[in-house]
Structures are given as structure tokens and as C-alpha cells.
Amino acid sequence: MGGEAEAGTVAGALPVRRRVRPRPPDAAETILWEGRPSVAAGRSRDAALLLILLAGLMALALFLVAPHFQGSAFAGRPGPEAVPLVLVMAAGTLLVMGLPLWFRATARGRARYVLTNRRALVLVGRSVVAEALLFGAEMTVTDSAVSFWTPALYLDWRLRDEGPDRLRFDCLADPETPAAIAEAHGARRLAG
């Protein structure tokens, strides 16, 4: 039947991405390597960026509110009782802006990277948040990360804003070790 699409593609176009959450490694798979992001490289960078962002937001909030303490024709001149309200509003703004960043940074710090004889996985707790099949995957290695791309890729929504659709083992002290294991199990190293 000439008009049918091959399994895994839509009429010869881009590969179809899996939408079903993958399962953690079981007895049928052998765990070959397991690691975590380097605490010094990952968490301290995220914490510094978060603190810089929050300090900037607080300065902006105070800059925008300060002229209103001079008074206006509509609201009059605020008294000292307005200061706690302004501080609560500034703190609320910081929480609304900062908590998503904090949750993301702590999730990345709790991530666990796993290579099995078939897959590269990123786990947070017992949940698989990213999966790439090793056989046929394209892999790039930098001084602190290993990235995998394959048509058989699953990325949780929490990881999609990090750039291209790649599964990444970020902030590694020794990225060559998992790269060599992945290469031995079917991943193809690209220059990069």
C-alpha cells in the first residue's frame, strides 16, 4: 500500500514524538551508568541567577512605587500605614515571579541521569522526565554536558523551554564517561 506512512513518521515528514510517559528502568534493562548534576556548577549558578533576578525585581518594584509616596490628586498622600501594604505587594510580586524559577532550579538539582543498555533517562524522584533511545541517537559532548537527539525522544513539559528538543545531561564533572558508554550502545558522536 503505497499511500501508508511508515511507523514512526507522518507521511515521510518529521518523526512522531512519543506522548506516553516512559517507565523507569526495570529488570529487563541493565543500568550502566548513573550520575547527578554537579552541585557547584548547577545549583550555585541557578541560585545566583535567581538572586540577581529577585534583586532586580525588588528594585524595579520600589522604583515604581516610590513616586506614589509623594502623593497624587486621585489617591492623596499615603500615610505610614501604607508601607506594610506596599511591602506585602512587593513580596507577593517576588513570590509570583520567583517561585517558578526556584521550583525549576531545585528540580534540576534533584535530577538523576541514568544510562541503561537501551536508553538515556533523566529522572526526578521516581518519575522519568526525559528519555532517548540510545541506538541511532546523535550525541554531542561538551566540557560539562552530553546531549542526545533521536526520533524516539520524550521530554516532559518542564524541560521543553531549555532549547532544542534534546535530552541533556548538564553540569557533569566527567561527561566523557557517559558519552563513551552511550557510544558503545549505539549512539553516534557528532562534532560539537
Side-chain angles (χ1 to χ4, degrees):
M1 307 203 173
E4 291 183 6
E6 292 181 10
T9 64
V10 177
L14 294 174
V16 175
R17 298 297 171 121
R18 290 182 44 189
R19 287 182 171 73
V20 178
R21 182 176 293 278
R23 59 178 170 62
D26 57 15
E29 286 182 279
T30 305
I31 295 177
L32 304 172
W33 178 86
E34 190 170 343
R36 291 186 167 279
S38 170
V39 174
R43 283 187 168 176
S44 61
R45 180 190 67 210
D46 289 340
L49 288 174
L50 181 64
L51 289 175
I52 290 168
L53 176 68
L54 291 179
L57 286 172
M58 182 60 95
L60 178 65
L62 292 175
F63 176 76
L64 291 173
V65 170
H68 297 288
F69 279 107
Q70 309 296 322
S72 69
F74 175 72
R77 186 175 178 93
E81 65 276 357
V83 172
L85 178 63
V86 169
L87 292 178
V88 166
M89 289 186 336
T93 302
L94 289 177
L95 287 175
V96 166
M97 299 287 214
L99 278 178
L101 296 172
W102 176 257
F103 289 145
R104 182 174 179 78
T106 58
R108 185 180 299 143
R110 291 180 291 135
R112 199 176 67 198
Y113 305 137
V114 176
L115 281 178
T116 71
N117 55 337
R118 294 189 287 188
R119 304 181 289 167
L121 302 165
V122 177
L123 295 114
V124 174
R126 286 185 268 173
S127 298
V128 175
V129 295
E131 172 191 63
L133 294 183
L134 288 179
F135 188 77
E138 295 176 344
M139 173 181 64
T140 56
V141 182
T142 64
D143 58 346
S144 66
V146 180
S147 299
F148 300 94
W149 185 89
T150 176
L153 180 70
Y154 170 84
L155 289 175
D156 190 87
W157 65 269
R158 292 171 285 190
L159 300 178
R160 289 189 181 272
D161 65 338
E162 291 186 357
D165 276 353
R166 292 185 180 274
L167 180 150
R168 283 192 293 284
F169 291 175
D170 287 325
C171 305
L172 295 176
D174 177 27
E176 284 299 325
T177 299
I181 293 170
E183 205 168 15
H185 285 84
R188 186 170 50 107
R189 187 185 295 235
L190 301 176

